[in-house]
Amino acid sequence: MTYQEKHVRLLKEPAGGVPDLIDTRAEYDDFLQRFSSASGPIAVDAERASGYRYSQQDWLIQFKREGAGIALIDPVALSEQEMDWQDVNEAFGDAVWIMHDSSQDLPGYFDLGLKPAGLFDTERAARLLGQVRFGLAAVTERYLDLTLAKEHSAADWSYRPLDRDMRIYAALDVEVLIELEGLMKKDLKKAGKWDWAQEDFIYLLNKGKQAKPLKEEPWRGISHINVIDRDLRGLAIARALWTVRDRLAQDNDIAPHLLLQDSAIIEAAQRKPHNSQEFRRIRSLNQRVRVHKGDERDKMFERYAPIQRKVKPQVWKEAIFQALSLPYDQLPKRRNENPETGENAPKSLKYWRIHHPDRYELLQSVRKFITQVSEDTSTPTDIILKPKIVRNLCWHTDVDKTPAGIHAYLLKQGARAWQADLLSESLSSVIM
């Protein structure tokens, strides 16, 4: 039966009923008792308030365990009551945590003090199995002929109380994960990829523990900043506005774009208003940001109007005027445009082709080989080996090209053992 011929059913509610929010000591203790008395893996998911709040903390964590049902945990309310999250670790013991796209949620769990003993990532499993559609809804449709509602995926999960519809949505995110894990585990073993999956799960778990490195100049992440890349005074204005916006957003725990959008920063950097009259002509700097999505999110964004009104246009004007008055030696520098100065190989294939045709030819050969392995194993090329590692291997001329040397190099670059074992011998022949 083809995908189109399937009769996919909408999963409307969890089988065990719609759970209430756990935000008190008594409810928390009951949750611990239920989950410690049950057995088997733990289905886990989390909800944040991205796009609404400055912080990326979890505002809701969902757990499910066979025999214990679903628990919707309010980590913020419970942390304010000084709950000990080590209790959760002890209640779960050595159980495997089942997640979909664990890279999104693991950092938040570790920040709280939660410590998964093991991991099964249904998204990574789907990708290892060569599935083109690997979102949770797609995977659920493929394995269970069920589809999940998506209308609250971008909701403001910091708002309380959570209504019944939002609690249903949250609960459904963990409702079928345990069943999916069992079915996908069978497929991985059948495909001979179970060992690969276990290595990847350990890799993802360890990566989730690591703090993200701080960017040296985070303001350069402004959307479309490349249009003013050669305008040092414009860059100074962009930097000043970003810095003020970030401070105000953090102080008020509001998403920066709700105070001033990136497009407004770029417009100000291009127009460079030198006096109050010119400043007032830039409407985007003088009006409250309003986000219109045409759905329930419009009301959610309006909850932040009081904070938006607190921030007056004067703060943007002062930031701009200060940037305009900076001496030349205090202006931002243009980014180093020499692609050969970094630790990693250049991303631009055009640069490879023009300036290093020999390395470009080698890269093409290696990529062709990776593509062949991908086709032979029904595994995406970026899962076989990250493109960055492929580029680095072909760029660095001092790599030991023996199978053992390449094996060691791949591991040093962050490849898993299964990848190095699969590729190193053949790669040695390709690049010799």
Side-chain angles (χ1 to χ4, degrees), residues 345 380 384 389:
I384 292 295
I389 299 179

Side-chain angles (χ1 to χ4, degrees), residues 150-405:
K150 303 175 183 178
E151 62 267 20
H152 298 298
S153 59
D156 180 3
W157 290 93
S158 69
Y159 189 71
R160 295 294 183 270
L162 290 179
D163 62 33
R164 188 174 187 275
D165 284 346
M166 292 185 73
R167 285 185 285 116
I168 289 174
Y169 174 91
L172 290 179
D173 274 347
V174 294
E175 171 74 351
V176 298
L177 285 180
I178 296 173
E179 190 174 358
L180 283 177
E181 185 257 4
L183 295 171
M184 300 184 85
K185 187 174 181 179
K186 289 180 181 178
D187 275 1
L188 288 166
K189 289 182 175 180
K190 184 178 179 180
K193 297 179 178 179
W194 177 236
D195 290 342
W196 297 7
Q198 288 181 296
E199 284 191 44
D200 274 19
F201 297 156
I202 293 172
Y203 166 80
L204 292 171
L205 191 57
N206 289 332
K207 187 177 180 181
K209 299 176 184 178
Q210 302 167 10
K212 289 185 177 181
L214 296 176
K215 293 182 179 180
E216 187 174 344
E217 294 181 307
W219 61 271
R220 290 189 185 271
I222 297 170
S223 300
H224 304 298
I225 197 169
N226 59 299
V227 302
I228 57 170
D229 188 54
R230 297 179 180 276
D231 180 356
L232 301 190
R233 188 65 64 180
L235 288 174
I237 293 173
R239 179 180 63 183
L241 288 173
W242 185 95
T243 302
V244 171
R245 181 184 69 171
D246 191 70
R247 174 178 56 79
L248 292 169
Q250 187 171 12
D251 289 347
N252 292 280
D253 194 12
I254 185 174
H257 76 93
L258 293 182
L259 294 181
L260 187 67
Q261 295 186 325
D262 282 7
S263 58
I265 293 178
I266 296 300
E267 184 179 5
Q270 291 175 317
R271 295 177 62 174
K272 301 179 185 62
H274 283 79
N275 54 52
S276 296
Q277 185 178 14
E278 291 179 357
F279 176 82
R280 285 194 297 270
R281 289 177 182 154
I282 304 178
R283 296 178 60 184
S284 59
L285 296 175
N286 290 275
Q287 295 179 341
R288 177 171 70 87
V289 175
R290 289 178 170 85
V291 181
H292 298 291
K293 299 292 185 181
D295 54 32
E296 63 178 3
R297 289 175 291 174
D298 290 350
K299 292 182 179 179
M300 296 178 182
F301 284 118
E302 281 301 307
R303 296 170 186 155
Y304 294 88
I307 298 176
Q308 293 174 311
R309 294 190 183 100
K310 282 170 51 180
V311 178
K312 305 301 182 184
Q314 182 68 21
V315 301
W316 314 130
K317 183 169 72 172
E318 291 175 356
I320 292 171
F321 288 178
Q322 288 173 7
L324 289 172
S325 65
L326 287 176
Y328 183 82
D329 61 359
Q330 293 182 26
L331 297 179
K333 303 297 186 291
R334 290 187 62 193
R335 278 182 169 171
N336 188 339
E337 294 185 346
N338 185 350
E340 299 191 29
T341 58
E343 179 181 342
N344 292 312
K347 290 184 179 181
S348 170
L349 293 185
K350 180 179 179 181
Y351 184 88
W352 285 65
R353 188 174 64 252
I354 294 174
H355 298 281
H356 297 277
D358 54 337
R359 297 183 195 179
Y360 175 76
E361 185 177 346
L362 176 61
L363 178 62
Q364 295 300 87
S365 297
V366 170
R367 292 173 70 185
K368 182 179 179 180
F369 164 70
I370 296 294
T371 299
Q372 186 61 57
V373 175
S374 169
E375 294 173 355
D376 292 345
T377 62
S378 299
T379 312
T381 55
D382 63 315
I383 295 295
I384 292 295
L385 195 63
K386 284 184 176 180
K388 182 177 77 171
I389 299 179
V390 175
R391 291 193 301 269
N392 287 345
L393 175 65
C394 298
W395 182 260
H396 296 139
T397 57
D398 58 347
V399 175
D400 178 356
K401 296 179 175 58
T402 65

